[in-house]
Amino acid sequence: GDWPIGNDPVSGILKYDGQNWIKYDPTNSNLPVCVISKIEYAPDDNLLWLATSIGAIKYDGNNWIVLDTLQNIIPSTSLNTMIIDGDIKWFGSSSYGLISYDNNSWKLYNTNNSELPDNEITDLFLDKNNALWISTRNGLAQFNENIWNVYNTSNSGLPDNWITCCIVDYQNACLIGTFSDGFVEYDGENWEVYTENNAPLLSNYIRDLEEDANGNIWIGLDDAGISIYNRNGISSVLPNETNSIPISFKLHQNYPNPFNPTTTISYAIPQDGIVTIKIFDVLGQQVATLKDEFQKANRYEVQFNSKGLASGVYIYRLQVNDYSESKKMLLLK
């Protein structure tokens, strides 16, 4: 669910045991809030911890306990996110900064008493070196043993200061999601920006990043579902065939772009029809036909080999029944 509508809470928590779904909300439990931003499990004290719109809540299996003492350090206790580091619980506030809790006392970090670049925290991640990565509306911060490193558009390769999420993967590369400019891979020296224009990314609006056991990066998108990234190639994620039918036509940006000599064009069609994909030069002259056949509603990809063509801008066009869409691509030899 989303937000409460009148007196009917449509949010809360869902628990799934493999067969059954159990919903917890204020109407059927003593959970006092509907809007939950993050859930974390603390193995040291066997408690479930929640970041919510009314503050921090812990659950012991029977009772939901609101930590009212948070109100002693910030006026509004609305929390966007949290993460657990042993006995320390870190919380990201919606407007008052970064908060730590050691089960006894609270500590506040904000733009007035630290190098935190913004008081609105959007995400938190703890890497294997126990460094805390803090995503904010005004840049990315790394905090470890009272040492701060701050990255923004003026001192790094970040394309946007509005950071929505960040993780450090198994290869110790930092992957950073932005609000509307794709995601960034930082290996400690180089910054590589991935968007719809140079990668098979379904959207530039990144909401969340997670890594699975195969090293695949699952990219949650704000408006287009999920993309999956792996610098070594996707591994053991999805079956070869799927029954998921697209809900709309979509012609993706070719990848790689620029390219030489081959590139891949992906597209989705929500209905059966005669599919044609043709390549044109900038003068409108057709130089290739990649597809001209009947296809069922599904997701497809096709390769284009530019052998024999000169460097320059080319246009590829998808046509299915009455639908047509074109995009540009750049051949560099």
Side-chain angles (χ1 to χ4, degrees):
D2 255 330
W3 296 89
I5 301 174
N7 295 321
D8 179 24
V10 293
S11 281
I13 294 176
L14 288 173
K15 177 182 177 182
Y16 180 59
D17 63 8
Q19 292 183 334
N20 303 302
W21 295 88
I22 302 173
K23 183 181 179 183
Y24 298 90
D25 64 43
T27 67
N28 65 3
S29 71
N30 63 352
L31 176 65
V33 65
C34 299
V35 183
I36 314 297
S37 301
K38 191 72 180 291
I39 303 173
E40 291 285 334
Y41 173 68
D44 291 349
D45 49 19
N46 194 32
L47 293 174
L48 202 66
W49 288 78
L50 285 70
T52 81
S53 59
I54 64 168
I57 297 176
K58 60 182 180 180
Y59 179 60
D60 62 9
N62 295 302
N63 301 298
W64 305 91
I65 304 163
V66 181
L67 277 70
D68 296 323
T69 51
L70 178 58
Q71 296 175 350
N72 295 334
I73 66 164
I74 56 175
S76 172
T77 55
S78 178
L79 302 175
N80 284 337
T81 186
M82 72 165 295
I83 200 165
I84 294 175
D85 179 15
D87 289 336
I88 305 296
K89 284 76 179 176
W90 293 97
F91 296 93
S93 168
S94 299
S95 54
Y96 291 97
L98 175 70
I99 304 147
S100 68
Y101 179 64
D102 63 3
N103 296 326
N104 292 302
S105 61
W106 300 91
K107 187 173 182 179
L108 174 66
Y109 301 86
N110 58 32
T111 54
N112 293 324
N113 65 9
S114 73
E115 296 180 50
L116 190 70
D118 194 86
N119 287 330
E120 181 175 345
I121 312 298
T122 55
D123 193 30
L124 296 170
F125 183 83
L126 193 69
D127 69 23
K128 62 183 179 181
N129 297 317
N130 290 322
L132 183 67
W133 292 82
I134 308 154
S135 303
T136 81
R137 285 280 296 267
N138 193 35
L140 176 70
Q142 182 195 41
F143 180 54
N144 193 9
E145 297 181 350
N146 294 320
I147 297 175
W148 292 85
N149 292 304
V150 177
Y151 305 94
N152 54 44
T153 55
S154 65
N155 67 1
S156 73
L158 287 174
D160 187 0
N161 283 331
W162 189 339
I163 309 301
T164 57
C165 53
C166 173
I167 65 171
V168 178
D169 70 8
Y170 295 148
Q171 299 187 34
N172 210 34
C174 186
L175 302 172
I176 306 154
T178 73
F179 174 72
S180 61
D181 289 291
F183 79 97
V184 185
E185 183 176 8
Y186 174 54
D187 63 7
E189 295 183 2
N190 303 301
W191 299 81
E192 186 72 32
V193 180
Y194 296 98
T195 68
E196 288 183 276
N197 292 328
N198 66 354
L201 194 64
L202 297 176
S203 170
N204 290 332
Y205 293 82
I206 312 299
R207 175 58 64 90
D208 195 19
L209 295 166
E210 297 290 343
E211 184 176 21
D212 68 21
N214 295 310
N216 302 307
I217 308 300
W218 293 71
I219 307 167
L221 306 168
D222 195 57
D223 59 348
I226 294 173
S227 291
I228 307 171
Y229 165 72
N230 190 321
R231 64 181 62 84
N232 299 315
I234 305 302
S235 174
S236 302
V237 176
L238 299 172
N240 291 330
E241 296 182 1
T242 175
N243 292 325
S244 176
I245 302 300
I247 61 173
S248 62
F249 288 100
K250 180 67 174 180
L251 178 63
H252 298 289
Q253 188 65 48
N254 63 300
Y255 178 78
N257 186 46
F259 67 97
N260 179 32
T262 61
T263 189
T264 298
I265 297 170
S266 302
Y267 57 98
I269 57 174
Q271 58 185 237
D272 302 352
I274 301 296
V275 176
T276 61
I277 299 178
K278 296 181 180 181
I279 312 295
F280 302 86
D281 62 21
V282 291
L283 299 177
Q285 300 296 315
Q286 182 178 327
V287 298
T289 298
L290 305 185
K291 190 71 64 176
D292 187 6
E293 63 184 51
F294 175 84
Q295 289 187 313
K296 288 187 172 294
N298 212 326
R299 295 171 176 85
Y300 298 93
E301 62 180 36
V302 62
Q303 273 205 335
F304 170 52
N305 191 321
S306 63
K307 183 178 179 180
L309 296 177
S311 296
V313 175
Y314 290 86
I315 298 167
Y316 58 99
R317 186 179 69 195
L318 167 71
Q319 185 162 350
V320 187
N321 302 331
D322 296 329
Y323 173 83
S324 180
E325 184 178 357
S326 300
K327 287 185 179 293
K328 294 180 180 179
M329 56 184 173
L330 178 61
L331 170 61
L332 288 179
K333 290 189 173 181

